[in-house]
């Protein structure tokens, strides 16, 4: 449902911007329009580049620059923080050009876009921990980068994607820890045990999982399951985890 909302919003916005672009951009030959768009991209004028590229796409949808215009729009939308438009353009390009030589780049940009949806600049700037926020887009980004690394291991973007997978892995593990902490506060100890067990399967090497083990031990003790609690305690002691 969330993706559908973005696509509907993007379609409406695309029509609006296309109309505006036609009114404000001179009717130059496509080569001149594309050169102007490139100048604006290179100078960091991403919104200006978007206006030029949208006009070019609107006037010459089947021209010689059509595919490159879409690739440039993906980048410009992302840099201008127009994330729904970036996502809609990515989906459109991937659907129409599944075997394009730059499809690995499109997959990489999809991952970046989903990561941007998940992030919050203000919270990051002030160092606010919001690991408890919905990880929907983080999971999507993890899938995006995983597909890129698996399908295009030699891609120029694979190494950076691998680094981002590590960060996303920790992000998702931290979310699970926050859920286990919430259940602990609510006294839902069976749910705590189940959550930490899932963390041990999905994120066995994460710091968040190590930090969740004391919650699991406590939950077992609250449930009067001393034998299971002692087993978890041994794991905690073996890993020198502070309670």
């Amino acid at each position: 449902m969330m993706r559908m909302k973005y696509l509907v919003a993007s379609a409406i916005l695309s029509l609006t911007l296309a109309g505006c672009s036609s009114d404000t951009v001179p009717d130059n030959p496509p080569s001149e329009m594309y050169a102007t768009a490139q100048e604006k991209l290179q100078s960091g004028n991403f919104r200006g580049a978007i206006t030029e590229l949208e006009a070019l796409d609107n006037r010459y949808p089947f021209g010689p620059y059509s595919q490159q215009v879409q690739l440039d729009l993906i980048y410009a939308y992302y840099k201008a923080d127009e994330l729904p438009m970036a996502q809609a353009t990515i989906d459109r390009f991937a659907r129409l050009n599944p075997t394009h030589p730059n499809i690995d780049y499109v997959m990489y940009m999809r991952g970046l876009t989903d990561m941007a949806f998940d992030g919050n600049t203000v919270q990051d700037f002030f160092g606010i921990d919001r690991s408890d926020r919905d990880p929907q887009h983080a999971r999507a980004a993890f899938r995006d980068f995983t597909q890129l690394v698996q399908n295009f291991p030699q891609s120029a973007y694979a190494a950076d994607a691998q680094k981002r997978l590590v960060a996303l892995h920790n992000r998702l593990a931290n979310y699970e820890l926050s859920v286990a902490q919430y259940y602990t506060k609510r006294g839902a100890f069976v749910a705590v045990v189940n959550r930490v067990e899932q963390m041990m399967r999905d994120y066995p090497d994460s710091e968040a999982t190590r930090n969740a083990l004391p919650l699991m031990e406590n939950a077992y003790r609250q449930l009067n399951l001393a034998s299971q609690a002692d087993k978890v305690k041994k794991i905690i002691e073996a890993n020198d985890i502070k309670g």
Side-chain angles (χ1 to χ4, degrees):
M1 287 297 295
M2 185 67 72
R3 180 175 289 270
M4 182 61 69
K5 290 179 181 178
Y6 287 138
L7 292 177
V8 171
S10 298
I12 295 172
L13 186 55
S14 180
L15 291 173
T16 303
L17 291 175
C20 294
S21 298
S22 298
D23 293 336
T24 59
V25 176
D27 193 12
N28 294 326
S31 59
E32 292 185 17
M33 294 177 68
Y34 186 71
T36 301
Q38 288 300 302
E39 290 176 3
K40 292 180 178 180
L41 278 176
Q42 294 300 321
S43 67
N45 181 6
F46 300 112
R47 296 195 183 279
I50 288 170
T51 299
E52 201 78 29
L53 291 165
E54 284 178 342
L56 183 54
D57 187 46
N58 187 46
R59 294 172 192 173
Y60 305 98
F62 305 107
Y65 297 97
S66 59
Q67 290 184 337
Q68 189 58 49
V69 164
Q70 291 299 310
L71 292 172
D72 289 343
L73 273 171
I74 289 170
Y75 179 73
Y77 285 139
Y78 170 75
K79 295 297 288 185
D81 204 33
E82 294 188 16
L83 302 181
M85 289 298 293
Q87 194 171 66
T89 307
I90 287 166
D91 290 343
R92 172 191 172 192
F93 189 95
R95 184 177 66 253
L96 297 177
N97 309 280
T99 60
H100 191 277
N102 298 120
I103 196 65
D104 59 329
Y105 168 76
V106 176
M107 295 173 70
Y108 176 69
M109 290 304 298
R110 177 183 282 144
L112 291 184
T113 301
D114 276 319
M115 278 193 78
F117 269 124
D118 182 64
N120 186 304
T121 303
V122 174
Q123 291 169 357
D124 291 343
F125 180 81
F126 287 105
I128 299 174
D129 180 13
R130 285 303 314 277
S131 57
D132 60 338
R133 67 185 184 274
D134 186 346
Q136 171 189 354
H137 293 294
R139 290 196 183 103
F142 193 89
R143 288 194 299 270
D144 298 334
F145 290 128
T146 298
Q147 290 174 359
L148 171 60
V149 171
Q150 290 177 347
N151 296 336
F152 301 96
Q154 303 304 318
S155 168
Y157 310 101
D160 186 69
Q162 191 65 59
K163 292 177 182 178
R164 292 177 185 276
L165 281 170
V166 173
L168 287 164
H169 181 274
N170 291 332
R171 154 79 171 103
L172 294 171
N174 285 330
Y175 172 76
E176 295 300 320
L177 174 60
S178 72
V179 174
Q181 291 169 333
Y182 171 78
Y183 284 148
T184 298
K185 291 178 182 177
R186 296 291 300 270
F189 299 114
V190 173
V192 173
V193 170
N194 291 336
R195 204 78 185 200
V196 179
E197 284 181 345
Q198 188 65 45
M199 290 179 70
M200 294 172 72
R201 289 191 292 270
D202 294 344
Y203 314 103
D205 56 346
S206 71
E207 183 179 355
T209 298
R210 290 192 291 273
N211 291 337
L213 288 174
L215 300 180
M216 189 184 215
E217 180 193 357
N218 173 68
Y220 275 132
R221 297 202 185 282
Q222 295 296 329
L223 293 168
N224 295 316
L225 298 172
S227 176
Q228 289 90 330
D230 289 341
K231 290 178 181 178
V232 177
K233 183 179 180 181
K234 290 179 180 179
I235 298 174
I236 294 172
E237 292 173 345
N239 289 271
D240 193 28
I241 298 170
K242 306 300 181 182

